[in-house]
């Protein structure tokens, strides 16, 4: 289960509006696959894990080229035979029990006749729950609650945007806390941020940052759509030659309040000390990118407590997920 959770964190927020979910398959004490749901509309974690496990056991190259979830489901149930009858699948979230953009994973698990299913958390979505009971009714052993606290952290953004909204504050800084001096983060870190930008409903930034940094604030590094933009500023006049104003297919709001944030489900905030202070009461999570460099500039002049949830190395940087408070 820990391996499944680790894999899911790689795609945290990138599956919006779906949750980040990981799955791992074990057979006869051998770990066959560790996979995750990568984006809305793509195969769920259980399907990805079954696909990789099937390939490892059979060497069937054809399945590697199948990406459509329904086609994958049908191919696996037609060709897998009894490969999974003595296997266990570990899933960070209860397998879905409804038709959405993909078929129910519960049916795939049933059809492949897994011996055992281990689930970290029941699905909080009423439309998707029911899979645990269904599998038990079909004679499959289902254990629930393994690594539930770690899985709950992983699931938190999905729960928040499903119930209202989720607000993320992204920051890039030097090792000593400095946040100025041009580009700070590595290309890999910036690409990850652009992936998030391509998913969000709204990006918020302070007017001072716009005037000083003259950013573009799009998702060009990953070829994604640019997010709509809220510029938080008492001064409404901006030089329209600043690159962000030339980005196509986006709405730009210039407002002296943050109320626009409350009208969206998934919002990311970027900026410096001013935005940190202005948004401290509405941010759910902070995402820090810490570069292995020192800066001559001053660091934040703000007191703030956060709870670290997950940290990973991304190229030369450290990426830290943290909860507000």
């Amino acid at each position: 289960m820990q391996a499944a959770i680790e894999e899911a964190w790689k795609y945290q927020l990138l599956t919006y509006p779906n949750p980040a979910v990981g799955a791992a398959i074990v057979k006869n004490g051998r770990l066959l696959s560790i996979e995750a749901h990568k984006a809305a509309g793509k195969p769920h974690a259980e399907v990805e894990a079954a696909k990789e496990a099937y390939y490892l056991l059979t060497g069937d190259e054809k399945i590697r080229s199948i990406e459509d979830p329904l086609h994958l489901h049908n191919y696996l149930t037609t060709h897998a035979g009894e490969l999974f009858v003595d296997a266990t699948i570990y899933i960070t979230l209860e397998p879905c029990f409804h038709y959405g953009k993909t078929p129910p994973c519960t049916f795939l698990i049933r059809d492949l006749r897994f011996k055992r299913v281990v689930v970290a958390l029941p699905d909080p979505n009423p439309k998707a729950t029911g899979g645990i009971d269904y599998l038990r009714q079909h004679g499959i052993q289902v254990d629930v609650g393994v690594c539930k606290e770690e899985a709950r952290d992983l699931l938190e953004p999905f729960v928040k945007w499903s119930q209202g909204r989720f607000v993320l504050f992204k920051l890039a800084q030097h090792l000593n806390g400095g946040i100025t001096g041009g580009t700070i983060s590595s290309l890999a870190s910036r690409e990850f941020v652009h992936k998030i930008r391509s998913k969000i409903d709204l990006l918020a930034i302070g007017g001072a940052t716009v005037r000083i940094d003259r950013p573009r604030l799009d998702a060009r590094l990953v070829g994604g759509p640019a997010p709509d933009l809220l510029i938080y500023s008492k001064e409404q006049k901006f030089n329209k030659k600043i690159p962000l104003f030339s980005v196509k297919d986006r709405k730009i709001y210039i407002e002296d309040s943050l109320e626009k944030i409350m009208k969206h489900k998934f919002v990311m905030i970027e900026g410096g000390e001013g935005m940190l202070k202005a948004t401290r009461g509405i941010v759910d999570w902070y995402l820090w990118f810490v570069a292995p460099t020192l800066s001559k500039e001053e660091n934040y002049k703000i007191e703030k407590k956060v709870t670290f949830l997950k940290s990973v190395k991304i190229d030369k940087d450290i990426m830290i997920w943290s909860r507000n408070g």
Side-chain angles (χ1 to χ4, degrees), residues 133-152:
D133 290 340
Y134 180 85
L135 291 173
R136 285 172 174 167
Q137 291 167 6
H138 281 76
I140 297 175
Q141 178 184 345
V142 182
D143 299 318
V144 182
V146 176
C147 298
K148 62 182 180 180
E149 295 303 324
E150 295 94 328
R152 190 171 287 117

Side-chain angles (χ1 to χ4, degrees), residues 7 11 18 21 24 42 53 58 62 66-67 74 87 134 143 151 172 184 188 201-202 236 259 292 307 314 321:
E7 189 68 19
Y11 302 93
N18 293 350
V21 178
K42 291 190 175 182
T58 66
K62 184 175 181 180
I66 303 175
E67 297 183 359
N74 293 336
Y134 180 85
D143 299 318
I184 298 174
D201 298 322
L202 182 71
Q236 302 291 296
E259 292 184 8
T307 301
I314 178 168
W321 300 92

Side-chain angles (χ1 to χ4, degrees), residues 25 27-28 32 53-55 57-58 76 79-87 112-114:
I25 294 176
K27 178 177 178 178
N28 298 329
L32 300 180
Y54 171 84
Y55 174 74
L57 293 171
T58 66
L76 285 165
H79 295 83
E82 298 188 352
L83 284 178
F84 296 102
V85 295
D86 55 353
L112 295 182
R113 292 177 290 166
F114 276 90

Side-chain angles (χ1 to χ4, degrees), residues 33-202:
S33 61
I34 309 168
E35 290 293 334
H37 181 44
K38 297 176 174 63
K42 291 190 175 182
H44 286 182
E46 301 93 318
V47 183
E48 293 279 17
K51 172 184 176 180
E52 289 305 307
Y54 171 84
Y55 174 74
L56 183 66
L57 293 171
T58 66
D60 183 354
E61 290 286 349
K62 184 175 181 180
I63 199 169
R64 304 304 295 274
S65 63
I66 303 175
E67 297 183 359
D68 176 72
L70 181 58
H71 190 183
L72 264 178
H73 183 131
N74 293 336
Y75 192 89
L76 285 165
T77 54
T78 301
H79 295 83
E82 298 188 352
L83 284 178
F84 296 102
V85 295
D86 55 353
T88 297
I89 183 168
Y90 295 80
I91 317 167
T92 62
L93 186 66
E94 177 181 12
C96 62
F97 191 50
H98 74 296
Y99 282 92
K101 292 184 178 179
T102 63
C105 293
T106 302
F107 293 175
L108 178 66
I109 292 171
R110 175 203 63 191
D111 294 343
L112 295 182
R113 292 177 290 166
F114 276 90
K115 178 182 180 181
R116 180 177 176 232
V117 178
V118 182
V119 176
L121 289 176
D123 198 318
N125 181 3
K127 295 181 179 179
T129 193
I132 291 172
D133 290 340
Y134 180 85
L135 291 173
R136 285 172 174 167
Q137 291 167 6
H138 281 76
I140 297 175
Q141 178 184 345
V142 182
D143 299 318
V144 182
V146 176
C147 298
K148 62 182 180 180
E149 295 303 324
E150 295 94 328
R152 190 171 287 117
D153 289 340
L154 176 69
L155 191 64
E156 186 174 314
F158 169 74
V159 173
K160 286 188 174 293
W161 66 52
S162 296
Q163 296 176 350
R165 67 184 165 278
F166 174 74
V167 181
L168 176 77
F169 199 123
K170 168 260 166 183
L171 307 100
Q173 67 174 56
H174 297 280
L175 194 59
N176 62 341
I179 58 175
T180 58
T183 301
I184 298 174
S185 302
S186 67
L187 176 60
S189 295
R190 301 198 306 276
E191 286 176 344
F192 192 85
V193 172
H194 280 223
K195 287 179 182 179
I196 298 176
R197 284 182 187 168
S198 73
K199 304 294 182 182
I200 59 179
D201 298 322
L202 182 71

